[in-house]
Amino acid sequence: MSDLQQEVTNLIYLESTLLDRREWDEWIDLYTEDAVYWVPSWVNEEETTDDPELQLNLIYLRNRGGLEDRVFRIESRDSYASVPLDRTVHVVGNVLVAGEMDDEVEATANCIIHTYGKKGGLTRASLYDFRMRRDDGELKISRKKITFIDDRLEGPIDVYHL
Amino acid sequence: MNKQPYIIDNPAENDFRLNRQALVDPDVLTLEKSCIFDTCWVYAGHDSEVTKPGDFVTRTVAGRPVIMARDSNSEMRLFLNTCRHRGAKVCRERSGNTKRFYCFYHGWSYDNDGALAAVPGDDAYPDSFDRSELGLTEAPRFEQYQGFWFACFDPSVPDLETYLAGAKEYIDLVVDQSPSGTMEIITGVQEYDVEANWKLLVENSFDDYHLHSTHSTWLEYMKDAGVNIRVPNGKGLVLPKRGIGRNLGNGHAVIDNLNFRGRPVATWISIYGEDAKPIVESAKAELVERLGEERAERVANTNRNLFVFPNLMINDGSSVTVRTFWPAAADRMEVTAWAVGPVEESPEMRKVRLDAFLTFYGPGGFATPDDVEALMQVQQGIAETVSEVPWSVMTRGIAKEGEQLNSDELHLRTFWRRWNELMTGAENSAQASE
Ligand code: FES
Ligand SMILES: [Fe+2]
C-alpha cells in the first residue's frame, strides 16, 4: 500500500471513529477552515442534485463554521432530536485514492452506518467523495460529499447518521 | 373508536377539546380517505415542474399514483398511473420527457395526451373493442391558482378558486416576490417519513406556541448571528414580533407574522453575509417600485405559514417551502418538501434563499428535526393512553375578543372544525362564532 493510500485511509477511518465515539471537537479538527460538507438530495432514480449552490440539498455547509454550528446544536443538549443521541457505528471500506491534483487528493469510500435510537435499529449506507489537502503538513478534509443512498429518509438526519 | 365525539367545541363555555382517537385509530384514517381526501382539492404539483410538451412527473396525490404531464399542446394533465388493460403502472420513472407512456406488461402504449396509441395483437379483440374509450383516465378535476395545481376526485365540487377562499390572498403574497409573478420549484426535493399522524404536522406547521421550547437551539443560533430574539414583555407574545392567527374559510388558516428572522425577499440579516446585503436591498427596491411602499413592506417584511386544507403547507418564512404529506398509516406519514423561488432570481440570491432554507427547514435542518421529534413524542404519548386520557386541550386564545395571536390556537381549531364537519357531515355552528 502506498504511503498516500495509507494516509488517506487512516484519515477516513479516524473520521468515522470520532463520529461514533462522539469526539466532536477532534472530528471538526479533521476539516480545513474552508471545508465544504455536502449531502445532495435525489432528483430521480439515477441522479442527485449536482449543483450544490443552486439546487435544494439535504445539507450544504460552505465552511467549517457550518460544522461547528452542528456540533453546538448536538452539545447544547437542547435539540430534542439529538437527545438522547442515537448510537452509531460506521463501517468504512473500499477506500480508494482517485487522484491527485496540485495540493489536493481525491478519494472515494463506502460506508455502512448502523444507528440505534428512538426508532430502533436502522442500517443505511453512503457513498463518500472526499477532497483532502495538507494543512501544516497534516492531511485534512477540504470537501466531503455524502451520497446517502436512501431517497426517502426515515426521519431526520444529522452529521452522525451519514 | 370510543363513543365520544371527535371534538368538543363550545366557545361560549371557553371549551375546545380534541378526542385523541382521531390521531390514533386506523378506522379514522379509512374514513378520512373517503370523507376528506376524496372530496377536497388536494395539491398535486407546480407549473414549473413540467414546462415542455412531453414533460412529466409521477407521484402520489390523494393516495393515487398519478402522472402530472404537459401534453403535446402544452396543456397540463393529471393521469391516473394505471393501464386500462389490466392495471400496471404505465410510467415508472419519477420524471422525464416522453411522447409515449408504455406499459411493459403486455405492451399497450399511450401518447402523452393519454390516448391509447398501440395495442400489440389487437386483432384478437372483439369488434366492440374501442381504443378511443381506453385512454388513460384523468383526475375528474384539475385546476391551478398562480401556478399551483390541485386535483379533486369528486367531480361535483365548486371550482378551485372558490375552494381556496381566503387562502388566495396569501398565495398572492408569496407570488408577489417574483417580478413577473412566476415562482418555480427549485431542483431537488426532501422526502422523509415521520412516525406520527398526519394531522399532527398540520398543527405543528403553523403552531408558533412551540417555537421557544422546541427550537431553542435555532433561536440561540439566530441570536449568535446577531438577530434580536428578545420577546417584549407584557403583550402575551412568545416571539420577538407580533403575529396573528386567521381563519381563511373552508378549513384553511394562516399565521401572519411581522418578520424578525430575515427573508431573502427582502429583509437582510447578518447571517446572509455582507455580500448579500446589496442583493437583498435591490430586491426590496424592486418590490417598492413594482408594488408600492405598503405592499412591498407586506411582502418583504411579514412572513406567513399558510395551511391549505387538507394537506398543503406553504411556509413563507426564512425561505419558501411547499410541503405536503400523506398518511401511510394512522401513525405514519410521508412528507415531501420543495423549495420555491422567483424564476428570475439571480444565482447570488438563490444561494441566500437555499442557505436560509436549509438552516431552518428539512430533515437535515436546524428546526425540522426537533419538530419531527415532538410529533413522535405526541404519537407515542397518546397511542396507548387514549382510554385514560382521551382529550387534548386546544383553547389558547378562545376567550379573547377580536384578533388571536400566532401562538393562540384559533388556526388549529379552524382546521379541526372543518375536519370534523367533513368527517361527521355536521355543520359546525362555532365555526362562525369565533
Ligand atoms: S397491463 Fe398494461 S398492457 Fe397489460
Ligand atoms: Fe417547529
Side-chain angles (χ1 to χ4, degrees):
Chain A
M1 197 182 276
S2 75
D3 286 353
L4 183 63
Q5 171 79 29
Q6 188 67 59
E7 202 178 0
V8 164
T9 306
N10 284 351
L11 178 53
I12 297 175
Y13 284 178
L14 180 60
E15 195 209 5
S16 69
T17 302
L18 292 175
L19 283 172
D20 293 338
R21 307 217 172 222
R22 305 172 177 179
E23 308 278 357
W24 308 116
D25 295 339
E26 290 78 0
W27 172 65
I28 284 187
D29 268 347
L30 303 181
Y31 284 81
T32 62
E33 248 347 293
D34 61 352
V36 166
Y37 184 95
W38 175 27
V39 187
S41 68
W42 287 93
V43 293
N44 57 40
E45 290 82 356
E46 315 270 316
E47 296 160 312
T48 65
T49 48
D50 57 9
D51 183 345
E53 299 278 341
L54 299 179
Q55 297 174 336
L56 180 68
N57 306 290
L58 294 173
I59 299 178
Y60 182 60
L61 307 171
R62 291 162 199 285
N63 54 48
R64 199 167 75 176
L67 293 175
E68 284 161 4
D69 293 338
R70 296 262 147 187
V71 167
F72 154 77
R73 205 170 120 80
I74 294 166
E75 288 187 328
S76 74
R77 310 283 292 167
D78 281 335
S79 160
Y80 298 95
S82 321
V83 179
L85 205 55
D86 289 351
R87 299 174 201 134
T88 65
V89 173
H90 291 64
V91 180
V92 182
N94 300 47
V95 178
L96 288 174
V97 174
E100 269 182 273
M101 341 166 285
D102 305 330
D103 58 343
E104 288 212 313
V105 183
E106 290 194 329
T108 58
N110 297 344
C111 192
I112 303 286
I113 307 111
H114 187 78
T115 64
Y116 186 85
K118 294 170 291 252
K119 291 167 167 293
L122 280 175
T123 300
R124 302 185 284 198
S126 293
L127 301 171
Y128 289 162
D129 288 278
F130 284 101
R131 270 186 216 157
M132 298 168 183
R133 196 175 65 216
R134 249 173 243 293
D135 200 4
D136 275 341
E138 213 181 323
L139 199 62
K140 294 211 166 176
I141 302 165
S142 55
R143 186 171 190 269
K144 184 179 185 184
K145 176 186 168 194
I146 299 168
T147 307
F148 202 56
I149 65 168
D150 298 24
D151 49 12
R152 175 165 282 287
L153 303 175
E154 179 59 51
I157 47 165
D158 208 331
V159 290
Y160 46 87
H161 292 120
L162 299 166
Chain B
M1 184 82 201
N2 54 34
K3 294 278 181 301
Q4 302 293 328
Y6 292 125
I7 60 175
I8 290 181
D9 187 5
N10 191 353
E13 302 282 325
N14 292 333
D15 193 9
F16 189 101
R17 275 173 287 164
L18 169 69
N19 185 340
R20 296 176 175 188
Q21 284 283 12
L23 299 165
V24 169
D25 189 341
D27 293 341
V28 170
L29 175 58
T30 306
L31 204 59
E32 282 172 339
K33 288 185 179 167
S34 56
C35 295
I36 292 177
F37 291 102
D38 289 355
T39 66
C40 291
W41 285 97
V42 176
Y43 181 67
H46 192 266
D47 245 350
S48 59
E49 294 182 87
V50 283
T51 53
K52 296 183 297 299
D55 280 0
F56 67 86
V57 294
T58 58
R59 59 184 48 147
T60 304
V61 173
R64 287 123 170 121
V66 299
I67 309 169
M68 185 173 82
R70 287 262 170 210
D71 68 16
S72 55
N73 294 315
S74 253
E75 296 291 325
M76 285 285 268
R77 310 282 285 263
L78 197 75
F79 301 116
L80 292 173
N81 192 357
T82 180
C83 181
R84 294 296 302 277
H85 178 222
R86 277 158 50 197
K89 284 162 104 173
V90 299
C91 182
R92 301 164 69 235
E93 289 89 46
R94 280 174 64 151
S95 59
N97 181 283
T98 190
K99 288 199 164 53
R100 289 271 170 106
F101 296 109
Y102 176 69
C103 178
F104 81 80
Y105 192 12
H106 310 94
W108 287 26
S109 63
Y110 302 84
D111 66 29
N112 59 21
D113 304 330
L116 177 59
V119 175
D122 62 351
D123 50 353
Y125 285 101
D127 290 346
S128 56
F129 181 83
D130 183 357
R131 278 192 200 192
S132 69
E133 287 178 353
L134 291 170
L136 292 175
T137 304
E138 291 183 69
R141 304 288 295 276
F142 188 46
E143 294 174 20
Q144 64 92 30
Y145 182 72
Q146 297 271 33
F148 295 88
W149 286 84
F150 296 74
C152 185
F153 291 91
D154 177 351
S156 69
V157 299
D159 64 15
L160 175 66
E161 289 208 29
T162 307
Y163 176 81
L164 288 175
K168 287 196 297 181
E169 170 191 347
Y170 286 89
I171 295 175
D172 295 347
L173 279 169
V174 173
V175 171
D176 268 354
Q177 294 176 33
S178 158
S180 64
T182 317
M183 301 295 275
E184 66 179 355
I185 300 281
I186 298 167
T187 299
V189 62
Q190 298 185 331
E191 296 182 301
Y192 50 101
D193 286 8
V194 179
E195 288 173 319
N197 186 273
W198 66 278
K199 299 184 291 300
L200 291 173
L201 187 54
V202 174
E203 294 180 354
N204 169 266
S205 295
F206 64 171
D207 168 30
D208 270 345
Y209 185 32
H210 78 276
L211 212 86
H212 262 272
S213 46
T214 301
H215 298 304
S216 60
T217 52
W218 175 73
L219 286 164
E220 275 303 309
Y221 166 79
M222 296 295 275
K223 187 172 140 198
D224 281 356
V227 175
N228 181 3
I229 61 159
R230 209 183 61 78
V231 179
N233 291 333
K235 296 182 181 161
L237 301 186
V238 302
L239 292 180
K241 294 269 178 72
R242 187 178 160 81
I244 58 169
R246 282 188 66 198
N247 172 354
L248 301 175
N250 289 339
H252 318 311
V254 72
I255 48 174
D256 183 344
N257 298 348
L258 294 172
N259 164 64
F260 75 93
R261 64 205 283 193
R263 292 170 55 75
V265 180
T267 304
W268 181 85
I269 53 172
S270 55
I271 293 177
Y272 299 165
E274 286 299 325
D275 292 354
K277 199 169 185 176
I279 302 163
V280 174
E281 281 170 357
S282 81
K284 178 72 187 288
E286 190 282 327
L287 289 177
V288 172
E289 190 176 332
R290 175 163 49 91
L291 303 169
E293 196 72 57
E294 198 181 325
R295 177 78 176 172
E297 189 61 17
R298 180 81 169 107
V299 170
N301 212 13
T302 62
N303 49 258
R304 54 216 124 255
N305 292 15
L306 170 66
F307 169 60
V308 178
F309 192 94
N311 67 335
L312 173 68
M313 292 297 316
I314 302 179
N315 285 357
D316 180 9
S318 308
S319 188
V320 188
T321 174
V322 170
R323 177 197 282 169
T324 180
F325 32 95
W326 173 253
D331 57 1
R332 188 176 184 88
M333 75 185 113
E334 297 170 348
V335 183
T336 306
W338 294 273
V340 182
V343 279
E344 49 281 279
E345 195 159 73
S346 68
E348 292 73 24
M349 182 61 123
R350 210 24 90 77
K351 285 181 206 171
V352 172
R353 173 177 301 284
L354 289 169
D355 281 349
F357 185 104
L358 288 183
T359 304
F360 192 81
Y361 301 115
F366 262 29
T368 301
D370 296 321
D371 290 313
V372 169
E373 182 61 29
L375 305 197
M376 278 172 56
Q377 292 302 317
V378 174
Q379 197 71 36
Q380 290 173 17
I382 65 178
E384 299 299 339
T385 58
V386 182
S387 321
E388 293 78 22
V389 194
W391 301 103
S392 287
V393 182
M394 224 173 277
T395 48
R396 283 183 71 83
I398 203 166
K400 274 182 207 167
E401 300 284 334
E403 246 173 31
Q404 300 224 359
L405 296 178
N406 52 5
S407 53
D408 290 330
E409 290 169 340
L410 166 78
H411 39 294
L412 276 63
R413 293 189 289 275
T414 300
F415 162 70
W416 280 109
R417 284 173 177 144
R418 181 62 182 154
W419 179 90
N420 185 59
E421 279 181 352
L422 291 171
M423 290 290 280
T424 61
E427 284 295 311
N428 192 309
S429 52
Q431 186 80 21
S433 74
E434 200 197 351

